[in-house]
Amino acid sequence: MKLTDTAIRKKKPNGRVQKMSDGGGLRLEVTAAGSKVFKYRFKLEGKDSDYVIGQYPVVSLAEARQLRDQAKHLVRQGLNPNDVRKKEREEIREAEDVEEGMTLRDLYEEYADFKTTAYGDREPDWHVSTLEKHTLRFEKHVFPTLGAKPIEQLHERDLEECLLQVQQRGALVNRNKIKSVFNMLFRYAKSKRYIERDIGKYVSDALFVKHARRHYKHLTTPEEIKDLLQRLDNLQASYVVYQCLQLAVLVFARPGEVTRLKWSEINLNAGYIEKDASSMKKRRSFLIPLSKQSLSILEKMEPLTGHTEFVFDSPYGTGKPITTESLNNALRRNGIHEVNPHGFRHMASTTLNELGFDADEIELQLSHVISGVRGIYNKSEKLKQRFALMQAWADYLDRLRIER
């Protein structure tokens, strides 16, 4: 006799398991506690087994019959419905694990931590400034679209689309830098067994235009340098950017070393900047003697940013310094296209050599490594000579300013 909803609802527990058949192997079991469960009895390979369909009334009688028919179809195919359901549940769990697994942002943060960690006597692979540049690029160009995606679900076409968007903005240098980090990230992820396939390796180069490196003119003649100084003196820019560019010309350090200059690195009384090895490209501590003109700039900045960490603290209140891109943008907005802040280094090097200053002193002040016996001899750093060098350079620039 077929089951009915009325008969099922009226069935009461009696302290033992009761079975109510619906035919075709489907039955309802009423437990001693009163639970009502649909089950399907089937035979496979000569063995009787039960397949639990679900509890009434969560599963209705009509639904139970449909699920019984589906299970019966599997049995006809020689499949155990219990094994099939187990496999389906495992696949669902695996899919959920992937969805809740490591995202691209998670991978980037783990890899960045790895690259900025010192192991034993070995310096970190990524300098602090390098990390900041990579992070800025990923925050701007990558994370908004890919940051929250699980890395197992990413395909090389996702990376290609991201890189093409950067390319369409004309930011070819950033595109190349991001592509390089993609390669490192997914090679690392595969090595850590986070992914089965290194998708970074399969990003097609055919999609991307070649970046033509721009070669900046080197300003080396007194006339060219004088023209630059006059344009810098009349520069339309924020006060912080203006003073940063003025100091950059005087100390001719790498632009990032100037923009990230900290008050803790400056000794105004002794007249020098002492950069920690962790903030230098060559991973060596470095001392920059300050001319009177450089000290004057820092004394002007102290009332404005002396309470912050950075001398050239961002005026936007981020707690971070201005960027080298801020310097580049200021030059371009003022029509200065023939030189960038890094070119100040070449300008100083060439001019000082032509003025007859000692080549080793100039190389040391550029924070270049001198090879061979001369390099060993110069470990004393020639501080006294370099103080004189930096003052002579500042005085030379001042003379150019007033010459007619």
Side-chain angles (χ1 to χ4, degrees):
M1 183 177 178
K2 293 281 187 178
L3 292 174
T4 63
D5 281 311
T6 301
I8 294 173
R9 286 196 300 270
K10 288 183 176 180
K11 192 67 174 180
K12 304 298 182 184
N14 60 7
R16 57 186 180 83
V17 176
Q18 304 174 73
K19 298 179 181 180
M20 303 171 66
S21 177
D22 187 59
L26 179 64
R27 70 180 187 276
L28 179 77
E29 287 191 0
V30 183
T31 67
S35 295
K36 299 173 181 179
V37 181
F38 288 113
K39 292 184 179 181
Y40 167 56
R41 188 76 167 177
F42 66 94
K43 180 176 285 190
L44 191 64
E45 296 179 351
K47 182 180 178 181
D48 289 328
S49 300
D50 281 335
Y51 174 68
V52 177
I53 292 177
Q55 187 169 330
Y56 182 88
V58 175
V59 177
S60 69
L61 177 58
E63 289 171 336
R65 288 168 176 161
Q66 290 177 350
L67 293 170
R68 181 270 318 275
D69 291 342
Q70 292 174 13
K72 185 180 289 188
H73 180 68
L74 292 173
V75 172
R76 291 195 187 110
Q77 293 178 301
L79 299 175
N80 188 319
N82 289 310
D83 293 340
V84 172
R85 178 161 60 187
K86 181 179 179 183
K87 184 178 180 181
E88 289 174 348
R89 287 176 175 174
E90 287 174 351
E91 290 174 351
I92 292 172
R93 280 197 298 271
E94 288 175 2
E96 290 174 346
D97 288 343
V98 168
E99 290 176 1
E100 297 174 0
M102 176 174 282
T103 65
L104 182 60
R105 183 184 285 274
D106 294 333
L107 174 62
Y108 176 84
E109 290 175 352
E110 179 179 319
Y111 186 70
D113 184 62
F114 167 68
K115 296 293 279 187
T116 53
T117 299
Y119 296 93
D121 296 331
R122 188 177 184 279
E123 293 288 338
D125 288 338
W126 279 5
H127 186 269
V128 172
S129 61
T130 302
L131 172 63
E132 290 174 350
K133 291 175 184 176
H134 286 322
T135 301
L136 186 63
R137 291 187 193 102
F138 268 64
E139 290 288 357
K140 182 177 181 179
H141 300 293
V142 180
F143 291 151
T145 54
L146 300 180
K149 290 192 174 183
I151 57 175
E152 276 284 359
Q153 295 181 8
L154 288 173
H155 191 272
E156 55 262 29
R157 63 174 171 269
D158 296 312
L159 307 188
E160 290 167 351
E161 288 171 4
C162 175
L163 293 168
L164 285 171
Q165 288 176 4
V166 181
Q167 177 173 281
Q168 287 166 3
R169 299 186 190 110
L172 301 187
V173 173
N174 282 336
R175 180 207 64 192
N176 291 346
K177 296 287 186 181
I178 293 169
K179 185 173 182 290
S180 176
V181 176
F182 276 159
N183 288 334
M184 291 186 280
L185 283 176
F186 289 98
R187 186 163 59 245
Y188 172 84
K190 188 174 187 301
S191 299
K192 293 283 285 186
R193 307 295 189 271
Y194 296 152
I195 53 177
E196 295 296 325
R197 184 169 173 270
D198 176 5
I199 62 173
K201 188 167 66 174
Y202 297 98
V203 171
S204 174
D205 289 330
L207 299 172
F208 308 112
V209 297
K210 187 175 181 180
H211 171 237
R213 184 178 295 276
R214 181 175 180 178
H215 296 283
Y216 289 92
K217 181 180 177 183
H218 296 138
L219 307 183
T220 55
T221 68
E223 292 76 18
E224 291 173 332
I225 298 173
K226 178 179 179 179
D227 179 65
L228 174 66
L229 293 173
Q230 290 175 344
R231 294 163 76 185
L232 288 178
D233 290 345
N234 295 306
L235 196 77
Q236 297 295 310
S238 71
Y239 186 75
V240 174
V241 169
Y242 177 89
Q243 295 294 2
C244 186
L245 282 166
Q246 294 289 340
L247 185 66
V249 174
L250 290 167
V251 300
F252 51 91
R254 295 178 180 88
E257 293 164 7
V258 181
T259 58
R260 293 190 300 275
L261 181 61
K262 299 179 180 179
W263 285 110
S264 61
E265 298 170 331
I266 299 171
N267 189 325
L268 290 175
N269 293 327
Y272 63 79
I273 297 168
E274 187 169 8
K275 302 287 288 184
D276 184 77
S278 64
S279 65
M280 296 296 293
K281 180 177 180 179
K282 299 297 183 181
R283 313 289 170 86
R284 296 178 294 119
S285 58
F286 183 58
L287 192 144
I288 304 174
L290 295 170
S291 62
K292 290 181 292 185
Q293 292 87 333
S294 295
L295 284 168
S296 175
I297 291 173
L298 293 172
E299 287 167 356
K300 291 175 185 175
M301 290 300 302
E302 191 172 22
L304 180 64
T305 64
H307 63 287
T308 69
E309 181 180 6
F310 298 100
V311 175
F312 301 107
D313 189 68
S314 170
Y316 297 106
T318 61
K320 297 180 180 180
I322 61 173
T323 65
T324 56
E325 192 61 27
S326 299
L327 306 186
N328 289 321
N329 288 339
L331 294 178
R332 288 194 292 266
R333 283 197 302 269
N334 284 268
I336 304 174
H337 301 286
E338 63 272 22
V339 68
N340 67 359
H342 199 276
F344 299 160
R345 289 167 59 77
H346 187 278
M347 180 177 74
S349 173
T350 301
T351 304
L352 288 169
N353 273 290
E354 289 179 353
L355 292 174
F357 286 91
D358 182 82
D360 285 356
E361 295 170 17
I362 297 169
E363 289 298 296
L364 282 168
Q365 195 52 52
L366 289 164
S367 186
H368 289 167
V369 177
I370 302 174
S371 60
V373 176
R374 286 165 54 241
I376 298 172
Y377 173 80
N378 282 325
K379 286 192 183 233
S380 63
E381 293 189 325
K382 294 189 175 185
L383 294 182
K384 183 177 180 180
Q385 296 94 322
R386 286 164 54 208
F387 268 98
L389 173 75
M390 298 302 278
Q391 187 59 56
W393 171 243
D395 292 341
Y396 172 76
L397 297 179
D398 279 350
R399 287 196 301 273
L400 289 179
R401 280 185 169 95
I402 62 176
E403 283 182 358
R404 291 186 177 180

